[in-house]
């Protein structure tokens, strides 16, 4: 296609949202009018499916629940008046609480102000808040935030070391929908111990963000924690950033949560339009479908050309891969759907994996995120008429062109600046695109059976560890790994037992391994 034809195609498919100043360019995705016409019935169904979802249809039959994250930014859409009121009340409570923290109306026992936050969560209870903090927190926030988002003891130690001299002025957010998820529970117990080590009453620093009636909620209530905020049954973790999960940490950092909600609402209005060309989320879903033949055959590489959007690809990994990565379709057929997502930022990646994108395996499509504003204020010229921002813009356009010349597909999303409104809009845009794509390929975007399977398998390993230690406690002589497995009634899990023993040995947990560590069958195992 020559330059004139490309320019015409660009104008034909360019989407622009005047209110948000957001552009979406799908002209470098290879589809034609015949393909669009063929997909039209699928899109009509997708629009209808989304309308039913917003009205309160049961979208997750596994858990018999609605999916209503769209109501969070427009409470009037909620199907019941009590839900509308609950959403409105929660936002008011969050804003009131944040203001009291900022002004010292609520303060720690031994300091006039809170200075820091430790946020403990996993998955959607961490990825959204981390992305928004990186994108929107002011350079000198009223409270500095630190995340514990893993079960890694060294990672927990690192955060606790960073705030050890300010622990007496550090709030703790414990974010867990059920209150029983191991990672946030373990993080909470470790942090609680650190507070006790400094003779601080953890309950006067702790905030629970959880479902009413959960284990965590009951604990926070009985121990009289500083505050409790609700998570809703009808909001999944990966779409929870506009709930208390994301709004509490954002508000405490001084981020304008009302503007973020407004940006999301404005995008929701745009992505509700039942017209492909006038609906940016539908255009994204179309592009994903085209790129991977409706089977996820190509990966999504997300390249934001702005440092503050560094974590956007990581946020999208969960949203896209947990929503679309499904073994079965809605009819129960084995389909193995999904789209792999990775990315970092431009132009860093032009010196990393863009070489492969340009010349290597064509198993991907790129999404460029362009930000028109270079910085606040004017930029110095690095050479006559050229600034650093000009270089960054040139790198993006040049990479896009180089990829296109080698038949590599790309999407470009352009926003005027990174602010609460545009970040809210980006979150809402991808929320809806995931829903539309799931409808196009006939899967349920709102359950996650694979995640639950992994949790159950982990619990099985921990139960096996208890049995292994019990066997060693009951036996005086050193045993082989195979003998331990037999006595534990787990002869089919010898490998898992070997790994358990190796881990306990390395961490000086009383397990002694004698023999060649590289030859597990040669080992003799005993307790010290």
């Amino acid at each position: 296609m020559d330059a004139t034809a490309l320019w015409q195609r660009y104008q034909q498919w360019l989407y622009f949202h005047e209110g948000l100043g957001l552009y979406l360019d799908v002209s470098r995705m290879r589809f034609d009018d015949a393909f669009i016409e063929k997909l039209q019935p699928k899109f009509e169904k997708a629009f209808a499916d989304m309308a039913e979802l917003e009205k309160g249809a049961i979208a997750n039959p596994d858990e018999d629940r609605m999916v209503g994250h769209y109501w969070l930014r427009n409470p009037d859409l909620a199907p019941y008046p009590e839900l509308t009121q609950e959403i409105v009340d929660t936002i008011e409570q969050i804003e009131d609480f944040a203001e009291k923290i900022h002004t010292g109306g609520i303060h720690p026992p031994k300091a006039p102000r809170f200075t820091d936050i430790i946020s403990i969560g996993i998955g959607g209870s961490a990825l959204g808040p981390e992305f928004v903090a990186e994108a929107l927190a002011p350079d000198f926030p009223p409270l500095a935030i630190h995340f514990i988002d893993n079960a890694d003891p060294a990672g927990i130690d690192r955060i606790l070391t960073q705030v050890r001299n300010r622990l007496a002025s550090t709030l703790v957010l414990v974010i867990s929908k059920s209150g029983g998820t191991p990672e946030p529970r373990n993080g909470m117990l470790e942090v609680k111990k650190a507070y006790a080590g400094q003779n601080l009453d953890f309950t006067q620093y702790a905030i629970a963000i959880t479902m009413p009636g959960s284990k965590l909620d009951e604990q926070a209530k009985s121990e009289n924690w500083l505050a409790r905020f609700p998570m809703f049954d009808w909001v999944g973790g990966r779409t929870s950033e506009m709930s208390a999960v994301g709004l509490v940490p954002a508000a405490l950092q001084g981020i304008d949560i009302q503007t973020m909600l407004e940006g999301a609402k404005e995008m929701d209005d745009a992505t509700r339009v039942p017209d492909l060309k006038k609906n940016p989320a539908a255009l994204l879903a179309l592009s994903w479908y085209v790129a991977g033949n409706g089977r996820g055959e190509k990966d999504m590489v997300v390249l934001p050309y702005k440092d503050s959007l560094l974590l956007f690809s990581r946020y999208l990994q969960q949203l896209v891969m947990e929503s679309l990565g499904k073994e079965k379709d809605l009819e129960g057929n084995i389909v193995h759907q999904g789209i792999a997502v990775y990315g970092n930022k431009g132009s860093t990646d032009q010196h990393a994996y863009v070489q492969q994108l340009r010349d290597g395996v064509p198993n991907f499509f790129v999404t460029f995120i362009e930000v028109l504003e270079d910085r606040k204020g004017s930029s110095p010229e690095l050479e006559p008429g050229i600034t650093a921002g000009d270089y960054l813009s040139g790198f993006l356009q040049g990479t896009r062109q180089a990829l296109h010349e080698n038949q590599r597909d790309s999407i470009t999303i352009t926003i005027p600046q990174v602010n609460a409104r545009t970040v809210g809009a980006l979150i809402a845009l991808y929320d809806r695109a995931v829903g539309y794509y799931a409808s196009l390929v006939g899967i349920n975007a709102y359950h996650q059976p694979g995640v639950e399977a992994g949790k159950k398998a982990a619990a099985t390993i921990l139960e096996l560890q208890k049995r292994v230690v019990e066997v060693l406690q009951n036996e005086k002589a050193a045993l082989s790994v195979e003998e331990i497995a037999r006595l534990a009634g787990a002869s089919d899990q010898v490998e898992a037992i070997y790994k358990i023993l190796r881990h306990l040995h390395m961490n000086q947990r009383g397990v002694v391994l004698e023999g060649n560590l590289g030859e597990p069958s040669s080992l003799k195992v005993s307790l010290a």
Side-chain angles (χ1 to χ4, degrees), residues 348-389:
T348 298
D349 292 334
Q350 290 176 213
H351 299 272
Y353 52 72
V354 166
Q355 167 61 34
Q356 177 167 314
L357 300 186
R358 173 65 170 76
D359 294 341
V361 184
N363 61 344
F364 67 92
F365 63 99
V366 172
T367 301
F368 294 103
I369 312 289
E370 178 184 25
V371 181
L372 293 177
E373 181 183 76
D374 291 339
R375 57 156 52 101
K376 299 297 181 187
S378 60
S379 291
E381 291 186 0
L382 305 182
E383 52 194 76
I386 302 296
T387 68

Side-chain angles (χ1 to χ4, degrees), residues 73-108:
R73 44 259 197 172
N74 190 350
D76 291 337
L77 290 177
Y80 311 114
E82 56 267 32
L83 288 186
T84 298
Q85 195 59 47
E86 197 172 10
I87 298 165
V88 171
D89 289 348
T90 299
I91 294 171
E92 288 178 357
Q93 289 164 16
I94 291 168
E95 292 185 314
D96 181 61
F97 180 76
E99 183 184 4
K100 287 177 179 174
I101 292 290
H102 294 159
T103 59
I106 297 175
H107 60 85

Side-chain angles (χ1 to χ4, degrees), residues 53 55-60 64-68 71 79-80 83 233-235:
L53 182 80
K55 289 176 185 174
I58 297 297
N60 189 343
D64 191 32
R65 64 176 174 86
M66 304 177 291
V67 173
W71 312 331
Y80 311 114
L83 288 186
D233 173 61
W234 36 268
V235 177

